[in-house]
Amino acid sequence: MPRPRPLSGFPEFLPSDRIVEQFVLDRLRSTFELHGFASVETRAVEPLDRLSKQGEIDKEVYAVRRLHAAEDSRDELGLHFDLTVPFARYVLENAGHLQFPFRRYQIQKVWRGERPQEGRYREFTQADVDIVDVDALAGHHDVELPLVVLDAFGALQTDLRLPPVLMRVSNRRLAQGFYAGLGIEDPAPVLRIVDKIDKIGPDRVADALREDAGLDAAQARACVALAGIRTADASFVEQVRALGIGSELLDDGLEQLAAVVEAGGRYAPGRMVADLSIARGLDYYTGTVYETNLVGFAELGSVSSGGRYDALATDGRTSYPGVGLSIGVTRMLVPLLGRGVVTASRPTPTCVLVAVDAEETRGAAVDVAQRLRRRGIAAEVAPKADKFGKQIRYADRRSIPFVWFGAAGANGEVKDIRTGEQLPADPDRWEPPDSDLRPAVQTRWEG
Amino acid sequence: MPRPRPLSGFPEFLPSDRIVEQFVLDRLRSTFELHGFASVETRAVEPLDRLSKQGEIDKEVYAVRRLHAAEDSRDELGLHFDLTVPFARYVLENAGHLQFPFRRYQIQKVWRGERPQEGRYREFTQADVDIVDVDALAGHHDVELPLVVLDAFGALQTDLRLPPVLMRVSNRRLAQGFYAGLGIEDPAPVLRIVDKIDKIGPDRVADALREDAGLDAAQARACVALAGIRTADASFVEQVRALGIGSELLDDGLEQLAAVVEAGGRYAPGRMVADLSIARGLDYYTGTVYETNLVGFAELGSVSSGGRYDALATDGRTSYPGVGLSIGVTRMLVPLLGRGVVTASRPTPTCVLVAVDAEETRGAAVDVAQRLRRRGIAAEVAPKADKFGKQIRYADRRSIPFVWFGAAGANGEVKDIRTGEQLPADPDRWEPPDSDLRPAVQTRWEG
């Protein structure tokens, strides 16, 4: 079998990069749990009709079928393309066993059959937090959720020295209320066009609104003016009012968005702005919408997006409105790892390599390693009773900081192979410095 | 949309059961890391030709294709059905970037299109540990790997009060050498039949060996006699010798297996036996093979299996022999959770619910929660400024042990809702008992 080549769009990490990923996932998990979110994992597959009815239509779905299924049997299952649609299904299915409002986080792979390119993958990891309730979900959860995510990014900024993020927030009701006040009947194509304003600019958006959405010049101008409003506090409300459009829905949206942005200013100062250009393509959002960028890495796109969805989960009688955000872990990490911005100090958890004097005394080295492990120190035994220089090189190539000698005798010694310092040590007592116990994650900025 | 129903064979956990699963996965991960194994995750899909060439032929593979792919395009990808085949591919693909011998663990879902039944799932989680080297892999790794897995089960036994395990070990070379000494040319059908001895018994195995594998009565008798040998120490060697068959391959196998069982007796006394009925169906094993049962839960089948594979990963010029074991996490947990043997003390990480006096002072409750979180105490804010009795019931329904009152005033108090005790507390100082900080996992044995 020839050497296999990577599959485009399916990134896999080498062990040292995987250590960085684990570090990030561990921080996300602990933040979510500190905020009282319970972990849920859903199966990878959903019925195809559920995947195609809900969510973005332009996301290409992977269909799944048993290889030995009959030739003419229809595809019935597909891989999930996000974690929101499966979560909505999970809530419907298990509603009788859950306590509402239900707070869950979910960290899993998702799959999309898109054309692979930088920042677009066919398999990638998302980390989602959502709150759902029965019939109605209090508005303060729209305020709470972005703070959870900003707290998670804050932990990454502190522990990993990742750059800070800026979350941009808007509100579908605000936009739709504004469009309704302008006399626009179908807001969907307008939202879709306005969503491109970052990419194509206000002039081409105005053109498209006239040509593709059938707006007149004044309507198009007003939509572009709305999308141009961006404030770090609630002053966007006045700016919207100054455009002279009014509707009940617009008032609702303004009030909801003001509450989110005011809390952002209080609990995550400098990390959140109201940005009325944010539309979010997904059909299922009905209120607040969020997008998040790493400051200085705009080219990575949004690293965390989401919003309120009032009608995603319903069994016809009861509906389960929710609000949530998704962090694009792979999307954020692959470029940072690829550019060497974030690295692990070693590609293995091993802190101590226990040297073997001779194959006959391997058992003594295994004993020492086991005594270290019992106290939480990761250890492995040298694979071969080579000359000590060669065993040290084994450790050095993996950046394992310590080598243990004399396992078979009464006088054990441990060598820090970085400094060359070698000291007598007892496998039941010796402790490495805290900073060496586990692989560290380092961040290096250029410029 | 009507209420969805579970997909047979795709188990999903409610939050409290997921907490048990996380507890188990965390213990496995920390044990593997203490033994110096690095984490690897591979993509969910492999080229179909790789999946069908390697591994068990009778495992049904799920094919994956873009839903919008051309009607007549061939399926080219499939979901992996184990973690060994993808790992072998990963090693080949990344050999230039890995340090050998390479120690990795891998905890991921796998998929098999089998008919669902108790203990058989279509999606399930496996936790694998393997060591691979270039060209040749030292025999002491066959000794080391089962001890890592027994250490992991030991941690589950200690921390979760799971029952102890018994690992049964055999060796393909031993069996094949024995068959060769008997004059049997093709050992594969013999291994396949002997593998069923637990299910169909020695008499029917002897019949099948004669009828389906073309053995004569003496050969069949000898094969059944070999499969009947089971010892807790290396005394199986003498018992095999007493059958009067000799070959070089047999001697090799006997020596390898004796080394494994002797180490088992030393480092995991009572947890390992040589059992020459173990054959393992997978084609790729070439030496030591392992199977593991939870004592008292034989009906769950093997909860950890594996073996040595010398020829799985090769690019034609270089081969990467390996040895590894896989723990069937889902297979072990689903029945234990279903029977209520293992439970979590609460279905949420939340330790403290901060009560809200009035919606206008929600911010003060958020402040208290944030101060608790900063010191590692999971907290959530009550979703509604209900009467305190109702807020306490919110906590009680989730088994959240503590409710915080008076967030908006100067005199905060915390109530243990199990005892009713309520004491003044400072959100920057108060600590819950260690046992309440996180959800605990409890094990209850019947009879």
Side-chain angles (χ1 to χ4, degrees):
Chain A
M1 186 158 292
R3 168 159 302 184
R5 282 178 311 177
L7 272 182
S8 178
F10 292 84
E12 289 185 328
F13 292 136
L14 287 171
S16 63
D17 287 350
R18 168 66 180 157
I19 282 173
V20 174
E21 186 187 36
Q22 285 182 298
F23 187 96
V24 168
L25 295 177
D26 287 345
R27 293 291 168 299
L28 296 180
R29 172 181 168 184
S30 70
T31 303
F32 297 158
E33 292 184 350
L34 282 174
H35 284 264
F37 289 80
S39 175
V40 160
E41 277 201 355
T42 57
R43 60 187 192 229
V45 296
E46 296 293 332
L48 271 182
D49 55 357
R50 192 167 286 270
L51 290 174
S52 51
K53 262 189 216 146
Q54 303 182 309
E56 279 183 81
I57 297 136
D58 57 350
K59 291 284 163 282
E60 280 236 38
V61 171
Y62 277 110
V64 169
R65 57 146 66 191
R66 287 169 48 232
L67 192 58
H68 296 152
E71 273 296 316
D72 57 350
S73 69
R74 284 177 48 228
D75 291 335
E76 289 180 344
L77 297 175
L79 296 173
H80 56 220
F81 58 81
D82 74 0
L83 301 177
T84 310
V85 171
F87 174 56
R89 189 265 312 154
Y90 176 93
V91 167
L92 282 181
E93 190 175 312
N94 297 293
H97 305 284
L98 303 174
Q99 300 289 341
F100 293 95
F102 177 51
R103 307 159 69 86
R104 86 88 174 76
Y105 73 91
Q106 188 167 350
I107 301 177
Q108 279 183 263
K109 301 260 174 67
V110 304
W111 294 270
R112 296 182 188 177
E114 298 181 291
R115 202 160 58 84
Q117 50 181 298
E118 163 117 30
R120 296 265 168 191
Y121 307 101
R122 296 186 144 185
E123 176 181 72
F124 52 102
T125 298
Q126 292 198 327
D128 281 30
V129 263
D130 289 79
I131 298 180
V132 292
D133 205 344
V134 182
D135 294 329
L137 176 72
H140 61 73
H141 294 301
D142 293 48
V143 177
E144 178 184 11
L145 256 292
L147 298 177
V148 176
V149 169
L150 288 173
D151 214 12
F153 279 112
L156 294 181
Q157 200 188 332
T158 306
D159 296 347
L160 202 68
R161 303 209 306 115
L162 273 194
V165 294
L166 182 66
M167 187 181 284
R168 301 183 293 155
V169 191
S170 189
N171 189 296
R172 276 276 173 94
R173 297 166 75 79
L174 190 166
Q176 289 177 22
F178 186 86
Y179 301 156
L182 276 172
I184 298 171
E185 275 174 26
D186 183 6
V190 180
L191 281 168
R192 249 195 312 277
I193 293 166
V194 169
D195 201 26
K196 297 180 188 155
I197 200 163
D198 275 1
K199 281 187 197 150
I200 65 174
D203 293 344
R204 287 181 57 198
V205 163
D207 292 348
L209 286 173
R210 282 197 310 273
E211 287 158 25
D212 304 337
L215 270 54
D216 66 31
Q219 287 174 325
R221 215 167 27 242
C223 290
V224 168
L226 184 78
I229 293 174
R230 179 172 161 148
T231 68
D233 55 21
S235 61
F236 70 90
V237 177
E238 276 172 54
Q239 295 190 32
V240 175
R241 298 262 184 245
L243 295 176
I245 310 295
S247 82
E248 207 175 306
L249 201 60
L250 172 60
D251 290 346
D252 259 21
L254 287 170
E255 192 185 321
Q256 287 175 3
L257 185 56
V260 174
V261 174
E262 278 166 356
R266 176 166 180 197
Y267 293 103
R271 304 274 66 85
M272 193 194 281
V273 295
D275 182 336
L276 305 194
S277 74
I278 302 299
R280 303 292 308 144
L282 278 167
D283 294 332
Y284 51 65
Y285 293 128
T286 51
T288 316
V289 285
Y290 315 92
E291 287 201 0
T292 314
N293 291 94
L294 278 184
V295 175
F297 287 83
E299 72 278 18
L300 298 192
S302 177
V303 293
S304 177
S305 309
R308 143 97 51 163
Y309 43 92
D310 280 326
L312 183 61
T314 174
D315 59 11
R317 286 169 309 170
T318 312
S319 71
Y320 300 86
V323 59
L325 284 108
S326 176
I327 296 175
V329 178
T330 306
R331 185 174 215 181
M332 178 170 72
L333 277 182
V334 168
L336 295 178
L337 291 166
R339 294 171 207 183
V341 173
V342 197
T343 53
S345 61
R346 56 183 194 252
T348 166
T350 301
C351 176
V352 181
L353 177 75
V354 183
V356 175
D357 301 324
E359 280 307 325
E360 302 76 59
T361 60
R362 173 169 295 277
V366 171
D367 283 340
V368 166
Q370 201 58 3
R371 284 152 78 184
L372 292 170
R373 290 174 195 134
R374 240 174 257 140
R375 295 186 299 108
I377 302 164
E380 62 177 277
V381 175
K384 212 170 158 195
D386 281 323
K387 285 184 186 159
F388 283 158
K390 222 169 160 188
Q391 297 193 47
I392 290 173
R393 276 202 297 285
Y394 175 98
D396 192 38
R397 272 199 304 272
R398 290 160 177 80
S399 302
I400 296 171
F402 297 100
V403 179
W404 195 281
F405 294 106
N411 303 308
E413 296 203 336
V414 68
K415 183 189 198 88
D416 182 331
I417 66 168
R418 297 159 301 188
T419 63
E421 190 183 41
Q422 184 164 335
L423 295 169
D426 175 342
D428 294 323
R429 299 236 172 93
W430 175 82
E431 299 268 0
D434 262 6
S435 54
D436 286 329
L437 189 60
R438 272 171 264 279
V441 172
Q442 300 143 341
T443 309
R444 194 175 32 225
W445 295 106
E446 289 147 25
Chain B
M1 186 158 292
R3 168 158 301 184
R5 282 177 311 178
L7 272 182
S8 178
F10 292 85
E12 289 184 328
F13 292 135
L14 287 170
S16 63
D17 287 350
R18 169 66 179 156
I19 282 172
V20 174
E21 186 187 37
Q22 284 182 300
F23 187 97
V24 168
L25 295 176
D26 287 345
R27 293 290 166 301
L28 296 180
R29 171 180 169 185
S30 69
T31 303
F32 297 158
E33 292 184 350
L34 282 174
H35 284 265
F37 289 80
S39 174
V40 160
E41 278 201 352
T42 57
R43 60 188 192 227
V45 296
E46 296 293 330
L48 271 181
D49 56 357
R50 193 167 285 270
L51 290 175
S52 52
K53 260 189 216 146
Q54 304 182 308
E56 281 184 80
I57 298 136
D58 57 352
K59 290 284 163 281
E60 279 234 40
V61 172
Y62 278 110
V64 169
R65 57 145 67 190
R66 287 169 47 232
L67 192 58
H68 297 152
E71 273 295 318
D72 56 350
S73 69
R74 284 178 48 229
D75 291 336
E76 287 179 345
L77 297 175
L79 295 174
H80 56 221
F81 58 80
D82 74 1
L83 301 176
T84 310
V85 171
F87 174 57
R89 189 265 311 154
Y90 177 93
V91 167
L92 283 179
E93 189 176 312
N94 298 293
H97 304 283
L98 302 174
Q99 300 290 341
F100 293 96
F102 177 51
R103 307 160 70 86
R104 87 86 176 77
Y105 74 91
Q106 187 167 349
I107 302 178
Q108 279 183 261
K109 301 261 173 66
V110 304
W111 294 269
R112 296 182 188 176
E114 297 180 292
R115 203 159 59 84
Q117 50 181 298
E118 164 117 31
R120 297 266 169 191
Y121 306 102
R122 294 186 147 185
E123 175 180 74
F124 53 101
T125 299
Q126 291 198 327
D128 280 31
V129 263
D130 290 80
I131 298 180
V132 292
D133 206 344
V134 182
D135 295 329
L137 175 71
H140 60 75
H141 293 302
D142 293 47
V143 177
E144 178 183 11
L145 257 292
L147 298 178
V148 176
V149 169
L150 288 173
D151 215 11
F153 279 111
L156 294 181
Q157 200 187 333
T158 306
D159 296 348
L160 202 69
R161 304 209 305 118
L162 274 194
V165 295
L166 182 67
M167 188 180 284
R168 301 183 293 156
V169 191
S170 188
N171 189 294
R172 278 275 174 95
R173 296 166 75 80
L174 189 166
Q176 289 178 22
F178 186 85
Y179 300 156
L182 275 173
I184 299 170
E185 275 175 27
D186 183 5
V190 180
L191 281 169
R192 250 196 311 277
I193 294 167
V194 169
D195 200 24
K196 299 179 186 157
I197 199 163
D198 274 1
K199 281 186 197 149
I200 65 175
D203 292 345
R204 287 181 55 198
V205 163
D207 292 348
L209 286 173
R210 283 197 310 273
E211 288 158 25
D212 304 336
L215 270 53
D216 65 32
Q219 287 173 325
R221 214 165 31 240
C223 290
V224 168
L226 184 77
I229 294 173
R230 179 172 162 146
T231 68
D233 55 21
S235 61
F236 70 90
V237 177
E238 275 173 54
Q239 295 189 31
V240 175
R241 299 263 183 244
L243 295 176
I245 310 295
S247 81
E248 209 174 306
L249 202 59
L250 173 61
D251 290 346
D252 260 21
L254 286 170
E255 193 185 321
Q256 287 174 6
L257 184 56
V260 174
V261 173
E262 278 166 354
R266 177 166 179 196
Y267 294 103
R271 305 272 65 86
M272 193 193 283
V273 294
D275 181 337
L276 305 194
S277 73
I278 302 298
R280 303 291 308 142
L282 278 166
D283 295 331
Y284 51 64
Y285 293 127
T286 52
T288 317
V289 284
Y290 315 91
E291 288 200 0
T292 314
N293 292 92
L294 278 184
V295 174
F297 287 82
E299 71 278 17
L300 298 191
S302 176
V303 293
S304 178
S305 309
R308 143 96 54 163
Y309 44 93
D310 279 327
L312 182 61
T314 174
D315 60 12
R317 287 170 309 173
T318 312
S319 70
Y320 300 87
V323 60
L325 283 108
S326 176
I327 297 176
V329 179
T330 306
R331 184 175 216 182
M332 178 171 71
L333 277 183
V334 168
L336 294 179
L337 291 166
R339 294 172 206 183
V341 173
V342 198
T343 52
S345 60
R346 56 184 194 252
T348 166
T350 301
C351 176
V352 180
L353 176 76
V354 183
V356 176
D357 301 324
E359 280 307 325
E360 303 77 59
T361 59
R362 173 170 295 279
V366 172
D367 283 340
V368 166
Q370 201 58 2
R371 283 152 79 185
L372 292 170
R373 290 174 194 134
R374 241 175 255 140
R375 296 186 299 110
I377 301 165
E380 62 177 277
V381 176
K384 214 170 158 195
D386 281 323
K387 286 186 184 154
F388 284 158
K390 221 170 161 189
Q391 297 194 46
I392 290 173
R393 276 202 297 285
Y394 175 98
D396 192 39
R397 273 200 305 270
R398 290 159 178 79
S399 302
I400 297 171
F402 297 100
V403 178
W404 196 281
F405 294 105
N411 302 307
E413 297 204 334
V414 68
K415 182 189 199 88
D416 182 330
I417 66 167
R418 298 159 300 188
T419 63
E421 191 182 40
Q422 185 165 332
L423 294 169
D426 176 342
D428 294 324
R429 298 239 173 91
W430 175 81
E431 299 268 359
D434 263 6
S435 55
D436 286 329
L437 190 60
R438 270 171 264 279
V441 172
Q442 299 144 340
T443 309
R444 192 176 34 224
W445 295 107
E446 289 148 25

